[in-house]
Amino acid sequence: MDSDVLIGLEVHVQITSLKTKLFCRCSCSYRENPPNTNVCPICLGLPGSLPVLNKRAIEKAVAVALALNSSISDKLLFVRKHYFYPDLPKNYQISQYDRYGLTPIATGGSVAIDVDGLNRVVRIRRINIEEDAGRIAYPEKSILGSRYALVDYNRAGIALLEIVTEPDLRTPREARVFLEKLGSILEHLEVADTSLEGAMRADANISVAGRPRVEIKNIGSPKDLEKALNYEVARQLNIVKSGGVIERETRHWIKERGITVASRVKELEGEYRYFPDPDLPPVPIGRELIEAIARSLPELPDQRARRIAKEYGVGDYMASVLVLHKKLCDHFENSSKVCGNPRLISSILINEFLRWVDEAGIDISSGIARLSTDRLCKLVQYFESGLISIKLLKEYVRIAVLEDINPEELRSKGLTTLGEESELERLVDEVLRENPKAVADSIRDPKAVNFLVGQVMKKTRGRADPKLVNEIIKRRLSEYGSK
Ligand code: ZN
Ligand code: MN
């Protein structure tokens, strides 16, 4: 059976670096404010109010288009996209469109991703500027089981970029890596802090085995995107296997339950009744502006990966993973400069740190606070001076990230190499070599082992677990005895 998977994404990113909304002077810091306090007649869509375009939003959009190698339109055209939903106060969204002679701010372009060593190119179809809608809060935390909904318009009118890909992604994992990479590009450009709740939301179109595509709405993070798509692949393949029909429909990702459910029937394109917004005449986008922004583009993830691989000698693969998260990469560079040993640090961050951050369910910034440069340096220092083994170093990282405990404290609690078997084995062998008579006695009479245990405990200054020492000695003696 043909089980090919095709995934295309429509990503909405808030330009969180802006101070004000896209068409009014309301503050963008809606997350901290009580509901419906960040609003004015414009973002509430009251009759008689007129939108005024935020110039900084255009500059940020141009920077993103340049970074994705998209072609930038010579003029900015806004349209009204009509639909009726409680979070949309005007009953239309000011957006952009790519048909009927209209044009979005940019089209084309691509993002290269490295998925577990495999290089893939994901084509970008278009980039729109548009306004965000308000937010609907459900008393039961989700749409399921809630008897009513509450609307907060603080978010209405926040500047969004809508970035749409071609259906070039073939696995849920690729979709996750793409979204992480896109987020990292946006962070390097200082367009968005994608770790903020709701700052980057993806809608995914997925078709399995040549069947109609299903759209999954409003997925809040790369990790959830992978989970939601894995769920959908399994769900759709099951339907195909049992001879059922996959409906072309819109589904909702229920994060708490790890499932998708069918949701509102989506409008057909014609029902949006797109037309140019008469309140916003076309604005030319000057070549000088584009060139000025191009000149001031910062170092982007791909460039940075190449530099890091060379400068720190960590290899292309490690570098490509580090740059997926700007903050992680900054942390890597800072810590490598302070503590040295970039290869060890990159391996700790990629192989251990990310895994435990995931496990703890915290974001990378909170994880970095728990495994700060100071703490990382201490660990590298302990490891380099032989105080802890690599196995114990990993254990320290786990505890630091999960429990926010610093390495000094762990050491003072006795979690050192001496608690570890391989190190104890070395000491046991030493004691056995130094006490041939006691070894001979112990092989004859198991009770004599206590003397050897005592010698090992002495060497560890009492810091080892005597039961473990006993076990190791017995194991060793039986090996000796059988020779
Ligand atoms: Zn406003
Ligand atoms: Mn949109």
Side-chain angles (χ1 to χ4, degrees), residues 327-328 330-332 334-336 339 344-357 362-380 388 392-408 410:
K327 286 171 189 161
L328 184 74
D330 293 345
H331 190 42
F332 162 76
N334 291 338
S335 302
S336 294
C339 356
L344 178 61
I345 290 173
S346 67
S347 147
I348 293 173
L349 292 178
I350 290 169
N351 300 325
E352 308 302 320
F353 174 80
L354 283 179
R355 168 173 160 215
W356 300 120
V357 160
I362 56 178
D363 61 20
I364 286 181
S365 304
S366 320
I368 289 172
R370 295 178 182 189
L371 190 67
S372 61
T373 295
D374 269 9
R375 290 180 177 184
L376 208 42
C377 285
K378 263 274 166 303
L379 291 181
V380 170
I388 59 173
L392 200 58
L393 174 106
K394 291 176 182 178
E395 182 65 6
Y396 271 46
V397 171
R398 185 183 72 85
I399 298 172
V401 176
L402 293 183
E403 296 172 35
D404 195 15
I405 297 177
N406 71 50
E408 290 96 326
L410 284 175

